[in-house]
Amino acid sequence: MKGMTANDIMDHELRYEPRAYLLIVKCQDFLEKSGQDVDLLCKCYLARLELLYYKFDPASVNNLEDAAGEIVAAPEGKEPGGFTSAQVVDKLCKFIYTNDKTNWIRTRAVLCQIFHFALHDKWFEARDLMLMSHLQESIQFADVETQLLYNRTLVQLGLCAFRHGNIRVAHDALLDIQSSGRKKELLAQGLSTRNPVERTPEQEKIERRRQQAFHTHINLDLLECVYLVSAMLLEIPYMACHEGDTKRRMISKSFHNQLKQSERQPLPGPPENMHEHVIAAAKAMRMGEWKQCYAFVVNPKMNARVWDLFPRPESVKVILKRKIQEESLRAYLFTFGNKFTTISLDNLAELFELEKQSVHSIVSKLIITEELQASWDEPSNCIVAHRSDPSSVQKLCNQLSEKLNHLVENNERLLEAMGNKNLQYMFQGSNRDRDNKGQGDNNRGDRGNKGNQSHRMRQIFN
């Protein structure tokens, strides 16, 4: 296949894939009718499953949307017999779970079914199957191909969690892959060119054989954007709540570094790429400007590159808008709450275009967790602030005192590390100095007494 472009290779692979799939289906029918060994049938089922699990089937989605965002009826299944892909995957996996004697086939079947559930927005089924399988505890002992499939399944599970509004779960699922710096290698979607010296030619050939076909790839821009937006929704309210706290932990180190780099720019311009759009949205969220934040995240440029790649983009945008409104409200209360003595519930609901019950619930949770020092005045529907947060000068003084305390503690540890022997030597040396000084005084006193006695003797004899 030398001299062929990527499109030629993809066309070559896709041209023969339907034929291979039909051949596997015929082989499955033959093995089922002839009553062959169960092990052979499990291998045949797995081969069909690995050609089916990554394909999106509109007939397997409950609420399918068209281009205008309206719900349409699901089409009929395209599998042999008129079945949907979800029905076929469920049948194949149940047979493998019951009859397989090798752990390898069962593990791959579980991962394929979780991937298929997550791809079709069946979040609860995918999550429950992942938790019940306990694969996260034993996947490090599996072969490399199964570990790559596990990485792909974990990423797809994180994307499904984001589509359902589970931001924390989505961030945790994508964190390891995104922060590793080797997304292509961990997802078998290419080789990294940063350190080509680390691989021998034979190792490079083996890794190239493990690569996924192009039509099975997960969009890396979509993966990165979902991770950054999830980190923004978690990090910005946390930063606003713990501003000035030197001991605060970072939820997302990569997002925090990108935010710091953008703040160091002397002349920031309008956002151009996906990273800059998310960072600009984070700055707007920090000030409570939820409309501006949503405009940076959802716009025609971001829609074409990211959001329209989802099977139900309009529902994802609605969930994302709701999350931005809620997190912007939290950031607004943390940032500007010390400037008010009372805040009206009606004003907050109007400012962030949320229901009064939602605003009341969010503020009550902040008060219960003691993140917001305030209380409700029920007759007037107002938030009454109990005490104001320290000013910027007071925060700097607190930071200085913490650093001085840290310096004192380090010095005390250093003295303790010197050991008791050195301290005893120091005390013994000071005692010797005092003894020598005392002996010198005694000698001088003796000489003085002898002089007085000789003087009195001369007086007597005279």
Side-chain angles (χ1 to χ4, degrees):
M1 301 175 67
K2 286 186 176 181
M4 298 177 65
T5 62
N7 292 330
D8 295 337
I9 295 175
M10 185 175 64
D11 293 339
H12 186 270
E13 292 176 350
L14 292 177
R15 186 181 304 143
Y16 294 101
E17 184 177 287
R19 301 180 186 178
Y21 184 76
L22 291 177
L23 182 61
I24 293 175
V25 173
K26 292 180 180 180
C27 181
Q28 173 187 335
D29 294 337
F30 172 76
L31 293 175
E32 290 175 347
K33 292 178 182 178
S34 60
Q36 293 292 331
D37 189 10
V38 178
D39 295 338
L40 291 177
L41 196 56
C42 288
K43 292 179 181 179
C44 182
Y45 278 10
L46 181 63
R48 182 179 180 182
L49 192 61
E50 290 183 343
L51 286 178
L52 185 63
Y53 78 96
Y54 59 84
K55 296 178 181 178
F56 180 77
D57 185 12
S60 300
V61 179
N62 295 328
N63 297 322
L64 189 65
E65 296 180 356
D66 57 5
E70 298 180 356
I71 305 297
V72 296
E76 296 182 357
K78 296 182 180 180
E79 291 296 314
F83 297 104
T84 63
S85 62
Q87 294 172 342
V88 174
V89 168
D90 183 67
K91 174 188 174 183
L92 298 177
C93 290
K94 284 182 178 179
F95 182 85
I96 292 175
Y97 299 157
T98 305
N99 300 283
D100 178 54
K101 299 178 182 179
T102 63
N103 190 30
W104 178 75
I105 295 179
R106 186 184 299 108
T107 301
R108 294 188 67 86
V110 170
L111 292 173
C112 290
Q113 190 171 19
I114 295 172
F115 191 102
H116 194 269
F117 279 149
L119 184 64
H120 293 84
D121 278 344
K122 297 180 180 180
W123 158 246
F124 295 102
E125 292 88 342
R127 181 201 61 184
D128 295 343
L129 186 57
M130 175 64 82
L131 294 176
M132 289 189 297
S133 63
H134 298 284
L135 289 176
Q136 60 272 17
E137 301 173 2
S138 60
I139 193 62
Q140 66 269 20
F141 304 109
D143 57 300
V144 179
E145 287 79 5
T146 305
Q147 291 183 14
L148 294 174
L149 179 58
Y150 175 81
N151 293 339
R152 287 168 50 83
T153 303
L154 194 62
V155 167
Q156 195 62 244
L157 195 63
L159 296 177
C160 180
F162 182 83
R163 292 194 294 266
H164 281 259
N166 299 315
I167 305 300
R168 173 72 67 175
V169 179
H171 177 269
D172 294 342
L174 302 178
L175 177 61
D176 293 336
I177 301 295
Q178 187 65 32
S179 60
S180 64
R182 300 186 300 119
K183 292 182 294 185
K184 290 184 177 180
E185 294 180 355
L186 294 176
L187 297 177
Q189 296 183 185
L191 299 179
S192 176
T193 58
R194 292 182 180 178
N195 298 320
V197 186
E198 296 179 356
R199 294 187 298 267
T200 62
E202 187 64 27
Q203 291 176 346
E204 188 171 353
K205 288 182 181 178
I206 294 174
E207 290 187 7
R208 288 190 181 278
R209 293 194 195 103
R210 295 173 182 155
Q211 300 303 304
Q212 293 285 329
F214 184 79
H215 63 282
T216 65
H217 285 189
I218 299 173
N219 192 291
L220 297 181
D221 290 337
L222 174 64
L223 168 63
E224 188 170 7
C225 182
V226 168
Y227 170 76
L228 290 176
V229 172
S230 302
M232 176 191 72
L233 294 173
L234 296 174
E235 187 78 39
I236 295 301
Y238 181 80
M239 290 174 60
C241 180
H242 297 84
E243 185 178 6
D245 186 5
T246 57
K247 297 182 180 179
R248 73 181 184 195
R249 61 179 181 85
M250 290 182 290
I251 298 176
S252 174
K253 187 175 181 180
S254 60
F255 175 79
H256 195 270
N257 293 335
Q258 292 183 22
L259 189 61
K260 290 296 183 183
Q261 290 178 2
S262 66
E263 291 176 354
R264 295 192 191 103
Q265 294 180 359
L267 296 173
E272 296 180 357
N273 53 26
M274 181 259 297
H275 297 85
E276 294 179 356
H277 275 84
V278 177
I279 296 301
K283 293 179 180 179
M285 178 181 286
R286 182 70 178 273
M287 305 304 295
E289 299 288 342
W290 74 270
K291 291 183 180 179
Q292 189 176 2
C293 175
Y294 182 73
F296 280 124
V297 174
V298 180
N299 52 64
K301 184 184 293 186
M302 293 289 288
N303 290 341
R305 189 169 183 178
V306 178
W307 306 122
D308 289 344
L309 299 177
F310 284 128
R312 296 188 295 176
E314 297 302 324
S315 61
V316 174
K317 293 175 186 177
V318 171
I319 295 175
L320 184 59
K321 181 179 179 181
R322 179 75 177 193
K323 290 294 180 180
I324 288 176
Q325 289 173 319
E326 293 177 354
E327 300 304 327
S328 298
L329 173 59
R330 290 189 177 94
Y332 179 82
L333 292 174
F334 292 142
T335 305
F336 302 106
N338 58 350
K339 306 295 190 298
F340 300 96
T341 56
T342 58
I343 307 175
S344 174
L345 175 64
D346 298 334
N347 292 340
L348 287 178
E350 182 180 358
L351 180 62
F352 291 94
E353 297 183 7
L354 292 171
E355 301 84 2
K356 293 182 181 180
Q357 293 181 350
S358 300
V359 176
H360 192 280
S361 175
I362 293 172
V363 176
S364 299
K365 288 179 181 178
L366 296 179
I367 294 174
I368 291 172
T369 56
E370 297 183 357
E371 294 177 329
L372 185 65
Q373 301 297 327
S375 61
W376 279 108
D377 184 28
E378 294 296 339
S380 60
N381 271 341
C382 289
I383 307 169
V384 180
H386 288 174
R387 63 175 180 84
S388 59
D389 294 333
S391 62
S392 57
V393 178
Q394 292 172 338
K395 291 178 182 178
L396 292 175
C397 293
N398 292 334
Q399 294 179 11
L400 179 60
S401 64
E402 290 178 0
K403 291 181 180 179
L404 291 176
N405 291 331
H406 186 65
L407 181 62
V408 171
E409 291 176 359
N410 289 337
N411 290 335
E412 291 177 353
R413 293 193 192 100
L414 184 61
L415 289 175
E416 292 176 359
M418 292 174 65
N420 294 328
K421 293 183 179 180
N422 295 335
L423 294 177
Q424 291 177 0
Y425 179 77
M426 292 169 61
F427 287 124
Q428 289 175 0
S430 61
N431 291 332
R432 284 196 299 268
D433 294 340
R434 287 196 297 269
D435 294 340
N436 294 333
K437 184 178 179 181
Q439 290 178 1
D441 295 338
N442 293 332
N443 292 333
R444 287 193 295 272
D446 292 342
R447 287 195 296 271
N449 293 331
K450 290 179 181 179
N452 294 332
Q453 290 177 2
S454 61
H455 179 68
R456 286 195 297 269
M457 292 295 291
R458 284 194 298 269
Q459 288 180 350
I460 292 171
F461 284 111
N462 290 335

